[in-house]
Amino acid sequence: MLNDESLIRQLSLGSSEAFTAIYGQYWRQVYDFSKLYLRDKDYAEEIVQEVFIKVWESREFIKENDNFKGLLFIITRNLIFNKHRKKVNEDFYKMTILRAMEESYDIEGEIDAKDLSRYIDLLINELPPQRRLIFNLSRKEFKSYRKIAEQLNLSEKTVERQISEAIKFIRQNLLFIIYLYTVV
């Protein structure tokens, strides 16, 4: 049997056999994690399918030395909170985040800047298309709100609101990464 790094390397090259092996190895962990937040087992099963669809769709960006397990749970968490918000046990989520924030630790020691940058890029790619475009124009091309508004024929207030929502989404998900590293 191949180790995780070999499987991920083969997956990134498009191997359906590697994908099947990875699915077999991780589906139960994704399912159990989903059940922490979802009360309905059918929704949890649906999340598992969607997580692995996302893994397959982004396979060429996954590197063998990445924290694959962490990536799986980030995708899972995002799908749960984005698509099934009403089914989520939000109180449990809030308690886990508060507990993670209360514990003192050095996240830089656990996630190097390169990995963090990759996770942020993954999060940016999950933004709705217009919000992602506005965010990238602001943060990567360093355009002012006014310039973005003119370029996209929007009001400055709309641009400001879109960037605010993007930052809020990224912050929430970064808190989740911190949570993962305190329990994994």
Side-chain angles (χ1 to χ4, degrees):
M1 178 161 190
L2 297 173
N3 64 25
D4 277 1
E5 287 184 4
S6 297
L7 285 173
I8 292 167
R9 186 176 325 111
Q10 290 179 14
L11 172 68
S12 69
L13 297 171
S15 167
S16 59
E17 292 84 11
F19 176 78
T20 301
I22 288 171
Y23 179 88
Q25 185 171 343
Y26 288 104
W27 79 267
R28 185 64 180 187
Q29 292 173 19
V30 172
Y31 175 79
D32 290 343
F33 183 78
S34 298
K35 287 290 288 170
L36 288 173
Y37 296 98
L38 301 171
R39 295 183 179 122
D40 187 321
K41 81 174 197 121
D42 291 333
Y43 280 117
E45 290 170 359
E46 184 180 321
I47 289 291
V48 170
Q49 297 305 314
E50 291 180 40
V51 165
F52 285 98
I53 288 169
K54 284 214 178 263
V55 167
W56 179 255
E57 289 173 343
S58 60
R59 66 190 174 276
E60 65 262 5
F61 302 108
I62 301 172
K63 304 297 179 222
E64 62 216 48
N65 56 353
D66 285 348
N67 178 355
F68 184 72
K69 187 176 179 181
L71 178 64
L72 273 181
F73 291 105
I74 289 168
I75 294 170
T76 304
R77 185 265 174 201
N78 290 343
L79 287 171
I80 289 169
F81 285 100
N82 290 340
K83 295 185 179 188
H84 304 288
R85 209 171 279 280
K86 290 186 171 60
K87 297 288 183 187
V88 173
N89 182 345
E90 289 178 336
D91 290 336
F92 178 77
Y93 171 71
K94 289 174 186 173
M95 286 174 31
T96 57
I97 293 299
L98 287 173
R99 186 173 62 229
M101 289 171 47
E102 288 173 355
E103 295 177 15
S104 92
Y105 62 95
D106 178 20
I107 188 152
E108 287 85 10
E110 303 209 28
I111 306 173
D112 66 24
K114 188 175 178 184
D115 286 339
L116 187 57
S117 177
R118 274 194 214 125
Y119 287 128
I120 291 172
D121 287 341
L122 286 171
L123 293 173
I124 291 169
N125 286 333
E126 289 189 21
L127 294 170
Q130 184 175 18
R131 186 170 296 156
R132 180 175 54 238
L133 173 62
I134 291 169
F135 184 82
N136 284 333
L137 288 171
S138 172
R139 296 307 196 258
K140 293 188 178 182
E141 295 183 26
F142 307 105
K143 292 189 176 185
S144 69
Y145 290 1
R146 191 181 91 241
K147 291 284 187 192
I148 297 168
E150 289 171 3
Q151 180 179 338
L152 300 177
N153 198 25
L154 300 169
S155 73
E156 282 186 59
K157 209 59 162 158
T158 299
V159 170
E160 182 180 343
R161 187 174 56 253
Q162 290 294 322
I163 289 177
S164 174
E165 288 296 318
I167 291 170
K168 179 178 167 186
F169 174 78
I170 291 167
R171 279 187 183 146
Q172 287 173 339
N173 287 287
L174 286 176
L175 282 176
F176 184 72
I177 291 171
I178 293 168
Y179 166 73
L180 274 180
Y181 279 92
T182 61
V183 294
V184 174

